[in-house]
Protein backbone atom coordinates (compact mmCIF):
# COMPACT_ATOMS: atom_id res chain seq x y z
CA UNK A 1 0.00 0.00 0.00
CA UNK A 2 1.11 3.56 -0.66
CA UNK A 3 1.75 5.61 2.49
CA UNK A 4 2.91 8.83 0.86
CA UNK A 5 3.88 10.51 -2.39
CA UNK A 6 5.98 13.63 -2.82
CA UNK A 7 7.51 15.56 -5.66
CA UNK A 8 9.69 18.65 -5.98
CA UNK A 9 11.17 20.77 -8.73
CA UNK A 10 14.40 22.66 -7.98
CA UNK A 11 16.10 25.32 -10.06
CA UNK A 12 19.72 24.29 -10.66
CA UNK A 13 20.85 27.92 -11.16
CA UNK A 14 19.34 28.86 -7.78
CA UNK A 15 21.20 26.00 -6.08
CA UNK A 16 24.42 27.02 -7.89
CA UNK A 17 24.01 30.61 -6.64
CA UNK A 18 23.39 29.36 -3.10
CA UNK A 19 26.52 27.19 -3.30
CA UNK A 20 28.53 30.20 -4.54
CA UNK A 21 27.17 32.48 -1.84
CA UNK A 22 27.21 30.18 1.22
CA UNK A 23 29.60 27.36 0.22
CA UNK A 24 30.36 24.88 2.99
CA UNK A 25 27.86 26.50 5.35
CA UNK A 26 25.04 25.49 2.97
CA UNK A 27 26.58 22.11 2.08
CA UNK A 28 27.11 21.10 5.70
CA UNK A 29 23.65 22.23 6.81
CA UNK A 30 21.73 20.38 4.10
CA UNK A 31 23.82 17.49 2.77
CA UNK A 32 25.47 14.47 4.39
CA UNK A 33 29.17 13.79 3.75
CA UNK A 34 28.20 11.00 1.30
CA UNK A 35 25.91 13.35 -0.63
CA UNK A 36 28.62 16.00 -0.73
CA UNK A 37 31.24 13.55 -1.98
CA UNK A 38 28.92 12.30 -4.74
CA UNK A 39 27.98 15.83 -5.79
CA UNK A 40 31.53 17.16 -5.77
CA UNK A 41 32.75 14.22 -7.88
CA UNK A 42 30.22 14.88 -10.65
CA UNK A 43 30.78 17.03 -13.71
CA UNK A 44 27.50 18.85 -13.00
CA UNK A 45 28.02 19.55 -9.31
CA UNK A 46 25.16 22.08 -8.93
CA UNK A 47 22.77 19.77 -10.81
CA UNK A 48 23.66 16.85 -8.56
CA UNK A 49 23.10 18.95 -5.44
CA UNK A 50 19.81 20.25 -6.90
CA UNK A 51 18.52 16.71 -7.48
CA UNK A 52 19.34 15.78 -3.89
CA UNK A 53 17.70 18.98 -2.63
CA UNK A 54 14.56 18.10 -4.61
CA UNK A 55 14.63 14.55 -3.24
CA UNK A 56 14.75 15.81 0.35
CA UNK A 57 11.82 18.16 -0.31
CA UNK A 58 9.87 15.36 -2.02
CA UNK A 59 10.60 12.96 0.84
CA UNK A 60 9.41 15.46 3.44
CA UNK A 61 6.17 15.83 1.47
CA UNK A 62 5.75 12.06 1.21
CA UNK A 63 6.18 11.90 4.99
CA UNK A 64 3.24 14.29 5.19
CA UNK A 65 5.06 17.07 6.97
CA UNK A 66 7.07 19.17 4.58
CA UNK A 67 10.15 20.61 6.24
CA UNK A 68 8.60 21.30 9.63
CA UNK A 69 7.79 19.46 12.83
CA UNK A 70 11.44 18.88 13.70
CA UNK A 71 12.59 17.24 10.48
CA UNK A 72 16.17 18.14 9.55
CA UNK A 73 17.65 18.25 6.06
CA UNK A 74 20.23 15.61 6.91
CA UNK A 75 17.56 13.29 8.35
CA UNK A 76 16.92 12.41 4.68
CA UNK A 77 19.91 11.22 2.67
CA UNK A 78 20.24 10.18 -0.96
CA UNK A 79 22.86 7.65 -1.98
CA UNK A 80 23.18 5.35 -4.96
CA UNK A 81 23.28 1.60 -5.41
CA UNK A 82 26.18 0.20 -7.43
CA UNK A 83 23.80 0.26 -10.43
CA UNK A 84 23.39 4.02 -10.05
CA UNK A 85 19.81 3.77 -8.77
CA UNK A 86 19.15 6.44 -6.14
CA UNK A 87 17.96 5.34 -2.71
CA UNK A 88 16.72 7.38 0.25
CA UNK A 89 17.60 6.64 3.87
CA UNK A 90 15.95 8.41 6.78
CA UNK A 91 17.17 8.97 10.33
CA UNK A 92 16.16 11.06 13.32
CA UNK A 93 12.73 12.64 13.25
CA UNK A 94 12.14 11.52 9.64
CA UNK A 95 12.68 7.89 10.75
CA UNK A 96 10.32 8.42 13.69
CA UNK A 97 7.65 9.83 11.36
CA UNK A 98 8.12 6.94 8.91
CA UNK A 99 7.75 4.43 11.75
CA UNK A 100 4.53 6.15 12.88
CA UNK A 101 3.10 5.96 9.35
CA UNK A 102 3.93 2.28 8.85
CA UNK A 103 1.12 -0.10 9.84
CA UNK A 104 1.91 -3.02 12.14
CA UNK A 105 3.12 -6.08 10.25
CA UNK A 106 4.55 -3.96 7.43
CA UNK A 107 7.91 -2.53 6.48
CA UNK A 108 8.32 0.84 4.79
CA UNK A 109 10.17 1.09 1.49
CA UNK A 110 11.12 4.49 0.09
CA UNK A 111 11.29 4.71 -3.70
CA UNK A 112 13.02 7.74 -5.23
CA UNK A 113 13.69 8.83 -8.78
CA UNK A 114 15.72 11.85 -9.87
CA UNK A 115 16.05 13.68 -13.17
CA UNK A 116 17.33 16.96 -14.48
CA UNK A 117 17.16 19.04 -17.63
CA UNK A 118 18.91 22.34 -17.07
CA UNK A 119 17.77 24.54 -15.42
CA UNK A 120 15.47 22.09 -13.60
CA UNK A 121 16.06 19.16 -11.28
CA UNK A 122 13.13 17.00 -10.25
CA UNK A 123 12.50 14.23 -7.74
CA UNK A 124 9.61 11.90 -6.98
CA UNK A 125 9.36 9.91 -3.75
CA UNK A 126 6.85 7.16 -3.06
CA UNK A 127 6.68 5.52 0.36
CA UNK A 128 5.30 2.00 0.21
CA UNK A 129 4.26 -0.31 3.06
CA UNK A 130 5.00 -3.96 2.30
CA UNK A 131 3.72 -6.82 4.43
CA UNK A 132 6.49 -8.52 6.37
CA UNK A 133 6.71 -12.11 5.15
Amino acid sequence: MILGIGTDLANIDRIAATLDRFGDRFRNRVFTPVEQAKSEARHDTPGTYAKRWAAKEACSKALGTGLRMGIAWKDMAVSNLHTGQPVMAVTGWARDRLDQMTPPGHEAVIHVTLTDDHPWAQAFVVIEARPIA
Side-chain angles (χ1 to χ4, degrees):
M1 90 181 64
I2 302 300
L3 299 178
I5 300 171
T7 185
D8 193 66
L9 186 65
N11 185 287
I12 296 169
D13 294 333
R14 184 176 136 246
I15 297 296
T18 302
L19 288 164
D20 288 343
R21 182 171 179 195
F22 297 105
D24 286 342
R25 183 171 155 214
F26 172 66
R27 283 182 195 88
N28 294 332
R29 179 173 177 253
V30 176
F31 302 100
T32 67
V34 170
E35 290 172 314
Q36 290 182 45
K38 177 74 171 185
S39 297
E40 294 296 327
R42 299 293 300 252
H43 172 70
D44 180 21
T45 298
T48 305
Y49 276 118
K51 286 186 281 191
R52 278 149 179 74
W53 171 279
K56 291 167 185 274
E57 287 273 8
C59 184
S60 72
K61 293 171 186 175
L63 289 167
T65 63
L67 286 163
R68 58 183 178 87
M69 297 176 60
I71 200 166
W73 285 105
K74 292 196 288 187
D75 284 349
M76 302 164 289
V78 178
S79 60
N80 297 84
L81 301 177
H82 71 279
T83 59
Q85 176 185 347
V87 292
M88 176 73 70
V90 292
T91 59
W93 192 91
R95 169 49 66 183
D96 294 344
R97 173 69 180 146
L98 183 62
D99 291 344
Q100 292 169 2
M101 294 171 60
T102 307
H106 290 74
E107 65 179 344
V109 180
I110 302 173
H111 303 276
V112 60
T113 186
L114 309 172
T115 191
D116 65 297
D117 187 7
H118 194 88
W120 301 107
Q122 186 173 33
F124 286 96
V125 171
V126 175
I127 301 175
E128 172 190 13
R130 289 186 189 159
I132 298 172

